[in-house]
Amino acid sequence: MRVVNIKNHSQREACLARLCAEAYGHEAGLRPLAIFAGTLGVLFEQEAARVLALVDDHSRPVALALLVLDELGSSMTVTLLAELDQESVVRPAERLIAELALKAPLRVDVLDAEQEARFTGAGVSRWLDGKAGVRIGLGPKHPATTLADLPRALTFDEASVIQSFKQDHQQFDDYKARFVRGLEAFPATL
């Protein structure tokens, strides 16, 4: 088992498409496409996001994560996480998070006790109460000690992306085609 930072542009795009589809479901409307487009058009362009994979001993991806830098560049927030294969590897998403928590200043935001327990079991060791019931988990390498210490994760306006799709049908069709091509080209090995 090892963690792979996917740097090849076509593989990264394919993995992002698969990650969005897995995280939001294949019938989730425009949201997976909006996240895909915003991540490509904003976060990747600013070199503010990375797609990482946990691969098995045969280099097959078993879990994927999208990590986004904060505005100071001091930590990374897990914004999407998906398991691809639970048969050959037990709890691959947790194993990926556990590996990342050991090496990176990692942050996760959760909405319920089940998610918190899942990430605690994966090495996210400190928890803070955020706004609107959100619990913020910090890995051992994260420099923050209080909520006031946490810089904002970089992001994009998802509603604006969806609105731009409605106004520019060519842009919508282009991103939709890239998304579908990415799903079709998802690499069997990394």
mmCIF file of all heavy atoms in Angstrom, residues 91 93-95 97-99 101 113-125 127:
data_model
loop_
_atom_site.group_PDB
_atom_site.id
_atom_site.type_symbol
_atom_site.label_atom_id
_atom_site.label_comp_id
_atom_site.label_asym_id
_atom_site.label_seq_id
_atom_site.Cartn_x
_atom_site.Cartn_y
_atom_site.Cartn_z
ATOM 1 N N ARG A 91 -11.238 -0.893 4.753
ATOM 2 C CA ARG A 91 -11.379 0.534 5.060
ATOM 3 C C ARG A 91 -10.316 1.392 4.356
ATOM 4 O O ARG A 91 -9.521 2.084 4.991
ATOM 5 C CB ARG A 91 -11.351 0.752 6.562
ATOM 6 C CG ARG A 91 -12.497 0.064 7.273
ATOM 7 C CD ARG A 91 -12.555 0.252 8.774
ATOM 8 N NE ARG A 91 -11.668 1.250 9.306
ATOM 9 C CZ ARG A 91 -10.883 1.075 10.364
ATOM 10 N NH1 ARG A 91 -10.902 -0.054 11.012
ATOM 11 N NH2 ARG A 91 -10.106 2.046 10.801
ATOM 12 N N ALA A 93 -10.429 4.208 2.632
ATOM 13 C CA ALA A 93 -10.475 5.662 2.842
ATOM 14 C C ALA A 93 -9.817 6.033 4.166
ATOM 15 O O ALA A 93 -9.041 6.987 4.235
ATOM 16 C CB ALA A 93 -11.915 6.168 2.797
ATOM 17 N N GLU A 94 -10.106 5.267 5.215
ATOM 18 C CA GLU A 94 -9.482 5.533 6.510
ATOM 19 C C GLU A 94 -7.979 5.317 6.458
ATOM 20 O O GLU A 94 -7.216 6.063 7.067
ATOM 21 C CB GLU A 94 -10.104 4.663 7.613
ATOM 22 C CG GLU A 94 -11.473 5.117 8.034
ATOM 23 C CD GLU A 94 -12.598 4.459 7.252
ATOM 24 O OE1 GLU A 94 -12.350 3.963 6.121
ATOM 25 O OE2 GLU A 94 -13.732 4.458 7.744
ATOM 26 N N ARG A 95 -7.550 4.311 5.707
ATOM 27 C CA ARG A 95 -6.115 4.070 5.572
ATOM 28 C C ARG A 95 -5.431 5.213 4.836
ATOM 29 O O ARG A 95 -4.322 5.615 5.194
ATOM 30 C CB ARG A 95 -5.858 2.738 4.873
ATOM 31 C CG ARG A 95 -6.253 1.565 5.788
ATOM 32 C CD ARG A 95 -5.918 0.256 5.207
ATOM 33 N NE ARG A 95 -4.478 0.021 5.203
ATOM 34 C CZ ARG A 95 -3.941 -1.133 4.860
ATOM 35 N NH1 ARG A 95 -4.705 -2.149 4.514
ATOM 36 N NH2 ARG A 95 -2.643 -1.287 4.852
ATOM 37 N N ILE A 97 -6.475 8.394 4.785
ATOM 38 C CA ILE A 97 -6.448 9.515 5.729
ATOM 39 C C ILE A 97 -5.370 9.293 6.786
ATOM 40 O O ILE A 97 -4.635 10.226 7.146
ATOM 41 C CB ILE A 97 -7.830 9.733 6.388
ATOM 42 C CG1 ILE A 97 -8.841 10.166 5.331
ATOM 43 C CG2 ILE A 97 -7.753 10.742 7.528
ATOM 44 C CD1 ILE A 97 -8.512 11.457 4.605
ATOM 45 N N ALA A 98 -5.241 8.083 7.278
ATOM 46 C CA ALA A 98 -4.219 7.787 8.292
ATOM 47 C C ALA A 98 -2.821 8.070 7.752
ATOM 48 O O ALA A 98 -1.981 8.662 8.450
ATOM 49 C CB ALA A 98 -4.334 6.335 8.754
ATOM 50 N N GLU A 99 -2.555 7.684 6.514
ATOM 51 C CA GLU A 99 -1.252 7.952 5.903
ATOM 52 C C GLU A 99 -1.029 9.448 5.735
ATOM 53 O O GLU A 99 0.046 9.965 6.023
ATOM 54 C CB GLU A 99 -1.144 7.256 4.542
ATOM 55 C CG GLU A 99 -1.020 5.763 4.613
ATOM 56 C CD GLU A 99 0.306 5.312 5.185
ATOM 57 O OE1 GLU A 99 1.343 5.968 4.920
ATOM 58 O OE2 GLU A 99 0.315 4.303 5.916
ATOM 59 N N ALA A 101 -2.486 11.917 7.407
ATOM 60 C CA ALA A 101 -2.407 12.593 8.708
ATOM 61 C C ALA A 101 -1.005 12.496 9.303
ATOM 62 O O ALA A 101 -0.570 13.398 10.020
ATOM 63 C CB ALA A 101 -3.440 12.021 9.677
ATOM 64 N N ALA A 113 -21.362 12.547 14.452
ATOM 65 C CA ALA A 113 -20.483 11.763 15.332
ATOM 66 C C ALA A 113 -19.892 10.550 14.612
ATOM 67 O O ALA A 113 -18.763 10.152 14.897
ATOM 68 C CB ALA A 113 -21.258 11.316 16.570
ATOM 69 N N GLU A 114 -20.625 9.988 13.667
ATOM 70 C CA GLU A 114 -20.120 8.833 12.927
ATOM 71 C C GLU A 114 -18.901 9.209 12.088
ATOM 72 O O GLU A 114 -17.889 8.494 12.080
ATOM 73 C CB GLU A 114 -21.223 8.265 12.033
ATOM 74 C CG GLU A 114 -20.793 7.029 11.270
ATOM 75 C CD GLU A 114 -21.903 6.496 10.379
ATOM 76 O OE1 GLU A 114 -23.086 6.584 10.776
ATOM 77 O OE2 GLU A 114 -21.571 6.005 9.287
ATOM 78 N N GLN A 115 -18.986 10.349 11.389
ATOM 79 C CA GLN A 115 -17.842 10.815 10.607
ATOM 80 C C GLN A 115 -16.666 11.147 11.528
ATOM 81 O O GLN A 115 -15.519 10.839 11.209
ATOM 82 C CB GLN A 115 -18.218 12.059 9.800
ATOM 83 C CG GLN A 115 -19.161 11.798 8.660
ATOM 84 C CD GLN A 115 -19.550 13.088 7.953
ATOM 85 O OE1 GLN A 115 -19.643 14.146 8.557
ATOM 86 N NE2 GLN A 115 -19.785 12.989 6.647
ATOM 87 N N GLU A 116 -16.954 11.768 12.658
ATOM 88 C CA GLU A 116 -15.894 12.117 13.597
ATOM 89 C C GLU A 116 -15.179 10.859 14.092
ATOM 90 O O GLU A 116 -13.944 10.815 14.139
ATOM 91 C CB GLU A 116 -16.457 12.916 14.774
ATOM 92 C CG GLU A 116 -15.391 13.386 15.730
ATOM 93 C CD GLU A 116 -15.913 14.303 16.826
ATOM 94 O OE1 GLU A 116 -16.971 14.944 16.650
ATOM 95 O OE2 GLU A 116 -15.240 14.379 17.870
ATOM 96 N N ALA A 117 -15.943 9.836 14.432
ATOM 97 C CA ALA A 117 -15.341 8.582 14.902
ATOM 98 C C ALA A 117 -14.498 7.938 13.798
ATOM 99 O O ALA A 117 -13.411 7.412 14.063
ATOM 100 C CB ALA A 117 -16.432 7.626 15.373
ATOM 101 N N ARG A 118 -14.993 7.992 12.580
ATOM 102 C CA ARG A 118 -14.268 7.419 11.440
ATOM 103 C C ARG A 118 -12.902 8.097 11.270
ATOM 104 O O ARG A 118 -11.885 7.431 11.102
ATOM 105 C CB ARG A 118 -15.117 7.606 10.185
ATOM 106 C CG ARG A 118 -14.530 7.062 8.932
ATOM 107 C CD ARG A 118 -15.489 7.309 7.776
ATOM 108 N NE ARG A 118 -14.972 6.738 6.550
ATOM 109 C CZ ARG A 118 -15.332 7.133 5.355
ATOM 110 N NH1 ARG A 118 -16.226 8.084 5.206
ATOM 111 N NH2 ARG A 118 -14.821 6.573 4.282
ATOM 112 N N PHE A 119 -12.878 9.435 11.321
ATOM 113 C CA PHE A 119 -11.624 10.152 11.143
ATOM 114 C C PHE A 119 -10.729 10.062 12.378
ATOM 115 O O PHE A 119 -9.502 10.035 12.252
ATOM 116 C CB PHE A 119 -11.881 11.612 10.761
ATOM 117 C CG PHE A 119 -12.327 11.777 9.339
ATOM 118 C CD1 PHE A 119 -13.613 12.189 9.050
ATOM 119 C CD2 PHE A 119 -11.469 11.509 8.288
ATOM 120 C CE1 PHE A 119 -14.030 12.342 7.727
ATOM 121 C CE2 PHE A 119 -11.870 11.657 6.969
ATOM 122 C CZ PHE A 119 -13.162 12.068 6.686
ATOM 123 N N THR A 120 -11.317 9.991 13.560
ATOM 124 C CA THR A 120 -10.515 9.805 14.776
ATOM 125 C C THR A 120 -9.767 8.476 14.692
ATOM 126 O O THR A 120 -8.577 8.404 15.012
ATOM 127 C CB THR A 120 -11.403 9.866 16.034
ATOM 128 O OG1 THR A 120 -12.002 11.166 16.106
ATOM 129 C CG2 THR A 120 -10.592 9.608 17.294
ATOM 130 N N GLY A 121 -10.452 7.452 14.225
ATOM 131 C CA GLY A 121 -9.818 6.147 14.044
ATOM 132 C C GLY A 121 -8.720 6.159 12.997
ATOM 133 O O GLY A 121 -7.851 5.289 12.976
ATOM 134 N N ALA A 122 -8.748 7.166 12.130
ATOM 135 C CA ALA A 122 -7.734 7.288 11.069
ATOM 136 C C ALA A 122 -6.614 8.251 11.446
ATOM 137 O O ALA A 122 -5.819 8.629 10.593
ATOM 138 C CB ALA A 122 -8.403 7.738 9.769
ATOM 139 N N GLY A 123 -6.560 8.675 12.709
ATOM 140 C CA GLY A 123 -5.433 9.486 13.148
ATOM 141 C C GLY A 123 -5.671 10.975 13.251
ATOM 142 O O GLY A 123 -4.743 11.732 13.533
ATOM 143 N N VAL A 124 -6.889 11.433 13.003
ATOM 144 C CA VAL A 124 -7.204 12.851 13.203
ATOM 145 C C VAL A 124 -7.439 13.006 14.695
ATOM 146 O O VAL A 124 -8.444 12.550 15.228
ATOM 147 C CB VAL A 124 -8.429 13.276 12.367
ATOM 148 C CG1 VAL A 124 -8.807 14.713 12.660
ATOM 149 C CG2 VAL A 124 -8.134 13.086 10.882
ATOM 150 N N SER A 125 -6.487 13.647 15.362
ATOM 151 C CA SER A 125 -6.417 13.535 16.820
ATOM 152 C C SER A 125 -7.033 14.679 17.614
ATOM 153 O O SER A 125 -7.352 14.501 18.786
ATOM 154 C CB SER A 125 -4.953 13.373 17.232
ATOM 155 O OG SER A 125 -4.167 14.421 16.684
ATOM 156 N N TRP A 127 -9.976 17.895 17.940
ATOM 157 C CA TRP A 127 -11.269 18.329 17.409
ATOM 158 C C TRP A 127 -11.660 19.670 17.994
ATOM 159 O O TRP A 127 -11.493 19.920 19.186
ATOM 160 C CB TRP A 127 -12.342 17.281 17.708
ATOM 161 C CG TRP A 127 -12.104 16.043 16.909
ATOM 162 C CD1 TRP A 127 -11.390 14.944 17.286
ATOM 163 C CD2 TRP A 127 -12.535 15.799 15.580
ATOM 164 N NE1 TRP A 127 -11.347 14.024 16.265
ATOM 165 C CE2 TRP A 127 -12.047 14.524 15.205
ATOM 166 C CE3 TRP A 127 -13.280 16.523 14.654
ATOM 167 C CZ2 TRP A 127 -12.291 13.974 13.950
ATOM 168 C CZ3 TRP A 127 -13.530 15.970 13.409
ATOM 169 C CH2 TRP A 127 -13.033 14.706 13.070
#
